[in-house]
Amino acid sequence: MSAPRAVVLLSGGLDSATCLAIARDQGFETYALSVAYGQRHAAELNAAKRVVSALGAREHRLAHVDLGQFGGSALTDANIDVPTDGLQTGIPVTYVPARNTVMLSLALGWAEVLGANDIFVGVNAVDYSGYPDCRPEFIAAFEAMANLATKVGVEGNRLRIHAPLIELSKAQIVQLGTSLGVDYGLTVSCYKATDDGLACGQCDACRLRSAGFAAAGLADPTPYIRLADIPHDVQTR
Ligand code: ZN
């Protein structure tokens, strides 16, 4: 019997790269899906290609959905600055309205065509930025919706949304990924990375990522713009 298929959402960041490694480790034939959603920098999508080259996937697709036409987020709207002065409280301006709903919907569409009953998404509810669409309640609700919304679901082939990182700390994630052979030097988490993939060292994503490597006792392989930009302070303001 051939391996079951899974669609893995792959942004090119630390979490989604770990997720791809987990899906492969669990024996799935992986179909990686990256989404150009109108993000301000191309570094993440370049990183996604590098991650697929390194870890392997049966196929890698890039879907285009322009959430930038609506703006409303520091990640899609050039008029909103990415905060760089410490972790934000509440739901920060880097939240992209409906992003995970849109991405999971695209993954669901491809999964149904592939005959895949499993979708992996690297959302994380511990060391995260406070996004509502990274919570376990959201994943459970999306899974319920997916089984109502699709032919395969109605015909009794249950679709599963896997969020294997959801209860892990950033340190646990990098330890797990390292044990599965993930090269985090290939990934880009920074909200304002250069097109070459250099990280700013100051945004929430850089701070959470750096603190994760430190807590795990692992060297941080992130290429930063300047050495002086390596974050030291991860305190909430
Ligand atoms: Zn950054």
Side-chain angles (χ1 to χ4, degrees), residues 140-219:
F142 192 94
E143 183 176 281
M145 186 279 292
N147 282 291
L148 290 172
T150 53
K151 179 172 181 285
V152 292
V154 168
E155 289 175 352
N157 285 312
R158 189 155 180 83
L159 288 149
R160 288 172 297 266
I161 311 295
H162 301 251
L165 313 182
I166 201 153
E167 303 289 354
L168 301 185
S169 69
K170 212 53 123 185
Q172 289 172 316
I173 292 168
V174 296
Q175 278 167 337
L176 176 57
T178 299
S179 76
L180 295 173
V182 177
D183 177 357
Y184 288 115
L186 302 178
T187 66
V188 173
S189 301
C190 179
Y191 289 146
K192 44 186 296 188
T194 67
D195 285 345
D196 296 334
L198 300 179
C200 78
Q202 302 296 324
C203 70
D204 284 12
C206 280
R207 289 170 192 269
L208 289 168
R209 176 180 165 115
S210 168
F213 283 110
L218 294 167

Side-chain angles (χ1 to χ4, degrees), residues 65 71 113 121 141 207:
V65 182
V113 172
V121 59
R207 289 170 192 269

